[in-house]
Amino acid sequence: MYGDRQNICQVLQKSDHRKEKAMEIRKNSGPLKWILIGTSTLFLIVMLILPLTYVLVTAFGEGIKVFVASVTDYYALKAIGLTLEVTLIAVVVNTIFGIAASWCITRFQFHGKKILSTLIDLPLTISPVIAGLIYILTFGRQSILYEYLRSAGIKMIFAVPGIVVATVFVTFPFISREIIPVLSTLGTDEEEAAALMGANGFTIFRKITFPHIKWALLYGIVLCTARAMGEFGAVSVLSGHLQGKTNTMPLYIELLYQGYDFTGAFAVSAILVCMAVVILVLRSVLEHKGKEA
C-alpha cells in the first residue's frame, strides 16, 4: 500500500512539474505570441472586417431613405420572403433527417453503415453548381420522372420546389454531423436500462436521449440556417432567375449588382449580413450553453 501511494505521489509531482514547465514556456514565448496574434488580426481585418464595413458604408452611402426604399422594394421583399421560406423548410426537413440518420448510425449495426455515413458528407465535397446540374438532369425534361411530375402538377425546375430541394441537399450534413459525435460518446447504457424498465422508444428519446443532444441539435440548426440563407450556386442553376418568383436574396443581390444598382445590391447585402450576425450570436450563445450543460 505504501509503495502504491508513493508511486501515485511521484506521478502527481511529475504532472505538476510538466504543468509548471508548460506555463513557463507560454510566459516566455512573448514574441511568438504577439506575432501570431498580429497575423490573425491582420488576416481578419483584410478578409472580413474591411469587406463588411465596405458593404455597410455603401449601403447607407446615399442616405437612410434610399436604403429603406431599396430593402422595401417589391422584388426585394419577395426575395427576402422566399429566402426565409426556403430556409425554414430546409431546416425542418434536415432536422428530421439529421436526428433519424444520427440515431440510425449510432444505435444500429447493418451492412452499408460506412457507406451511409460517407454519403451524408457528400454535399460538403461536391460543388453546389454540380448539385444544381444533377437535379436538372434528375427532374428536367430529359428525365424519365418529368412526365410523372408534370401529370401530378409538380414543377421542379425554375420553381420553388426545385430551390427547396437544392437547399436541402447542400445543407443536410450540418445537423447530423453535430449530433453523431454526441450520441457516439453517450453510448447506450442509459437507454438500455430505461428499455429494461419498460420505457417505450419515444419516452427513451424524450427523457434520456434528447436532453443530451439538444445543444448539439440547436447548434446544427443554426449552422444549417446560415448555410441555407446564403446558398447561391445550386439555387442559381435551378431557379431560372425569375423576378419576384424564384429569386432568393443572394440571387437578387447578383441581379442588382449586374444592373449597376450598387446601392440596392449592398442594401440587401446588409440585411443578409445582419441575419448572419444574429446567427453568429446565437451560435456563440449555444456554444456557451453547451459547455455549461
Side-chain angles (χ1 to χ4, degrees):
M1 288 292 294
Y2 176 76
D4 292 339
R5 289 179 181 177
Q6 191 175 21
N7 291 333
I8 292 172
C9 291
Q10 290 177 354
V11 171
L12 291 175
Q13 288 175 355
K14 289 181 180 179
S15 177
D16 292 338
H17 178 70
R18 289 173 182 172
K19 289 180 181 179
E20 291 176 0
K21 190 174 181 180
M23 289 178 66
E24 289 179 4
I25 293 173
R26 284 197 291 268
K27 289 180 180 179
N28 297 329
S29 61
L32 177 61
K33 179 180 72 174
W34 289 111
I35 289 172
L36 293 175
I37 291 173
T39 303
S40 302
T41 303
L42 180 62
F43 182 84
L44 288 174
I45 289 173
V46 174
M47 299 300 296
L48 182 63
I49 296 175
L50 283 180
L52 292 179
T53 302
Y54 182 75
V55 167
L56 296 176
V57 169
T58 307
F60 291 96
E62 296 186 15
I64 189 68
K65 290 184 178 180
V66 176
F67 174 84
V68 173
S70 298
V71 298
T72 57
D73 178 76
Y74 172 79
Y75 292 117
L77 292 177
K78 282 287 187 179
I80 294 171
L82 180 59
T83 301
L84 295 176
E85 177 187 352
V86 170
T87 299
L88 178 61
I89 296 172
V91 168
V92 171
V93 171
N94 285 326
T95 299
I96 297 171
F97 169 79
I99 294 173
S102 303
W103 189 275
C104 174
I105 289 173
T106 59
R107 294 297 182 263
F108 299 98
Q109 296 296 330
F110 55 91
H111 295 293
K113 181 177 177 178
K114 290 184 178 180
I115 296 175
L116 176 61
S117 181
T118 302
L119 289 175
I120 290 176
D121 292 331
L122 194 61
L124 300 176
T125 59
I126 290 182
S127 168
V129 175
I130 295 176
L133 292 174
I134 289 172
Y135 282 114
I136 286 181
L137 294 174
T138 304
F139 301 113
R141 290 181 177 273
Q142 70 280 1
S143 170
I144 58 174
L145 300 175
Y146 179 75
E147 292 299 329
Y148 297 102
L149 293 172
R150 190 176 68 169
S151 62
I154 301 173
K155 186 178 181 181
M156 298 292 294
I157 309 302
F158 306 149
V160 174
I163 297 175
V164 171
V165 169
T167 306
V168 168
F169 175 81
V170 299
T171 56
F172 73 72
F174 290 96
I175 295 177
S176 59
R177 282 306 167 197
E178 293 298 323
I179 300 176
I180 287 174
V182 177
L183 286 178
S184 298
T185 304
L186 178 63
T188 61
D189 293 343
E190 294 182 32
E191 296 167 0
E192 290 174 356
L196 289 173
M197 295 175 65
N200 58 39
F202 179 74
T203 302
I204 293 173
F205 177 81
R206 184 168 56 89
K207 294 287 188 178
I208 297 175
T209 307
F210 183 74
H212 288 290
I213 68 169
K214 63 180 180 181
W215 296 116
L217 174 61
L218 291 173
Y219 188 68
I221 288 173
V222 169
L223 294 179
C224 181
T225 301
R227 184 69 177 85
M229 286 197 309
E231 173 52 30
F232 178 84
V235 171
S236 179
V237 174
L238 285 167
S239 70
H241 297 269
L242 303 178
Q243 275 274 52
K245 295 182 178 180
T246 61
N247 268 349
T248 58
M249 290 177 70
L251 301 184
Y252 184 64
I253 291 168
E254 183 202 29
L255 186 68
L256 291 175
Y257 190 82
Q258 290 181 346
Y260 300 100
D261 184 0
F262 300 121
T263 302
F266 284 109
V268 180
S269 297
I271 299 297
L272 203 55
V273 168
C274 290
M275 291 179 177
V277 170
V278 170
I279 290 173
L280 183 64
V281 171
L282 285 174
R283 192 188 74 171
S284 300
V285 171
L286 292 175
E287 281 183 339
H288 179 69
K289 292 287 187 181
K291 290 178 180 178
E292 288 183 347

